């Protein structure tokens, strides 16, 4: 799926805030923005191919508000991508997004639902910061609902999650295409679904390329920079060390950078490193970290569209689908051919 430019990227190119971009692109009247600034924003939007997306019908008799429920906003940087993606897509239809961080507290969820129902809002996007299976509380059946980055065993609502298995496959295949055969994998915790899926993709790519997985190079557990450093240090200290390491996430990859540098190994000349998530720091490492983008912005946009389209859909069963949006590969400088 094509990655759509965001208001944040338009603002960075135009040298203005995201708020200013929103005011200009949404044609807010009486905004005190100079003609020159407006022109810079419009030129930046055209350069980046920022598009307003397809029109979605907004139901009559409903307040132009969508409730975005999210279980946590502080443990990772990804909550902002969910919020901004939903807000950007909703703004294209002159719809606002009200965000509720509930930490899955039933009392807080009920209070928010009561408010949204009393205001006759459009519906709810139920979001988990970590991809996982869950059971949606019955209180949420009071409004149209879409699940974002989470899913139920029995499909009751439109659902969108990232394609972590394919992402793990693509990341591993990039290392295989570069000529690596002795590839280590720093996996995450076994209770994290994304960790299991990315390892699945790793193993499938190795199998398809007819490369035997050395199980001593698959290290399980952890997701932090410290975990990555400690586990990479053990692997890279071996006399038969791997020529490449695929890490569960970018934080572990940064730890892997530290381990390699402490051992006097050059990246990518002595060891190639692949991350996952494309956190902000990834592009500022030396060399920049090759990684996979989590499509949280695009997922949130899809969720908004599905919620609005639900009012205009004759076949509700057709909308009950679980969509997986592919993760994009970002090639930087941390992967090269292995030393012969």
């Amino acid at each position: 799926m094509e990655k759509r430019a965001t208001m944040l990227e338009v603002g960075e190119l135009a040298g203005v805030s995201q708020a200013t971009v929103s005011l200009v692109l949404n044609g807010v009247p009486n905004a005190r923005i100079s003609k020159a600034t407006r022109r810079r924003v419009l030129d930046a939007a055209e350069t980046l191919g920022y598009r307003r997306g397809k029109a979605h019908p907004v139901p009559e008799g409903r307040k132009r508000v969508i409730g975005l429920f999210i279980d946590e906003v502080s443990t990772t940087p990804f909550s902002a991508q969910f919020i901004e993606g939903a807000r950007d897509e909703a703004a294209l239809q002159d719809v606002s997004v009200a965000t509720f961080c509930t930490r899955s507290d039933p009392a807080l969820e009920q209070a928010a639902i009561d408010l949204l129902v009393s205001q006759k809002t459009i519906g709810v996007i139920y979001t988990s910061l970590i991809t996982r299976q869950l059971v949606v509380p019955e209180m949420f059946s009071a409004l149209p609902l879409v699940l974002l980055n989470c899913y139920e065993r029995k499909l009751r609502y439109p659902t969108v999650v990232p394609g972590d298995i394919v992402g793990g496959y693509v990341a591993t295949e990039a290392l295989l295409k570069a000529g690596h055969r002795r590839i280590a994998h720093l996996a995450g915790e076994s209770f994290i679904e994304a960790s299991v899926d990315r390892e699945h993709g790793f193993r499938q790519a190795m199998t398809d390329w007819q490369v035997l997985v050395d199980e001593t190079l698959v290290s399980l557990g952890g997701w932090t920079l410290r975990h990555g450093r400690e586990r990479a240090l053990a692997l890279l200290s071996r006399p038969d060390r791997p020529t490449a390491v695929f890490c569960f996430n970018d934080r572990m990859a940064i730890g892997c950078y530290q381990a390699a540098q402490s051992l006097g190994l050059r990246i990518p000349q002595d060891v190639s490193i692949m991350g996952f998530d494309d956190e902000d720091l990834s592009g500022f490492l030396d060399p920049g970290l090759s990684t996979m983008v989590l499509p949280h912005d695009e997922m949130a946009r899809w969720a908004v569209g599905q919620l609005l389209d639900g009012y205009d859909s004759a076949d509700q069963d057709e909308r009950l689908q679980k969509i997986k949006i592919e993760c994009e590969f970002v090639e930087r400088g941390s992967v090269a051919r292995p030393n012969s």
Side-chain angles (χ1 to χ4, degrees), residues 69 100-115 137 139-140:
F69 284 69
F100 302 91
C101 178
T102 63
R103 295 187 174 178
S104 301
D105 184 312
L108 294 178
E109 290 179 339
Q110 187 66 66
I113 284 291
D114 290 345
L115 173 63
M139 70 182 81
F140 284 91

Side-chain angles (χ1 to χ4, degrees), residues 106-162:
L108 294 178
E109 290 179 339
Q110 187 66 66
I113 284 291
D114 290 345
L115 173 63
L116 294 171
V117 169
S118 70
Q119 295 296 311
K120 296 184 179 180
T121 56
I122 293 169
V124 170
I125 299 173
Y126 193 88
T127 312
S128 172
L129 202 57
I130 297 175
T131 308
R132 61 190 176 98
Q133 179 180 305
L134 47 70
V135 177
V136 178
E138 285 305 315
M139 70 182 81
F140 284 91
S141 62
L143 287 168
L145 179 66
V146 174
L147 303 186
L148 173 57
N149 205 40
C150 55
Y151 64 96
E152 290 191 308
R153 181 181 296 275
K154 180 181 179 181
L155 194 60
R156 295 193 293 164
Y157 309 103
T159 300
V160 61
V161 295

Side-chain angles (χ1 to χ4, degrees), residues 202-271:
F202 161 74
R203 291 182 179 275
Q204 188 61 55
M206 297 286 276
T207 297
D208 288 352
W209 279 68
Q210 299 182 336
V211 177
L212 184 66
V213 174
D214 183 342
E215 296 297 340
T216 68
L217 297 182
V218 179
S219 181
L220 300 175
W223 65 86
T224 67
L225 188 153
R226 178 177 62 83
H227 289 137
R229 181 176 62 246
E230 292 174 350
R231 291 160 57 196
L233 190 61
L235 289 171
L236 298 178
S237 297
R238 295 169 47 153
D240 58 345
R241 68 172 182 261
T243 63
V245 184
F246 167 36
C247 302
F248 163 63
N249 63 12
D250 289 351
R251 297 184 184 191
M252 294 180 75
I254 294 172
C256 193
Y257 267 55
Q258 294 180 342
Q261 290 163 357
S262 70
L263 294 171
L265 300 176
R266 300 166 300 165
I267 305 168
Q269 294 90 339
D270 298 320
V271 61

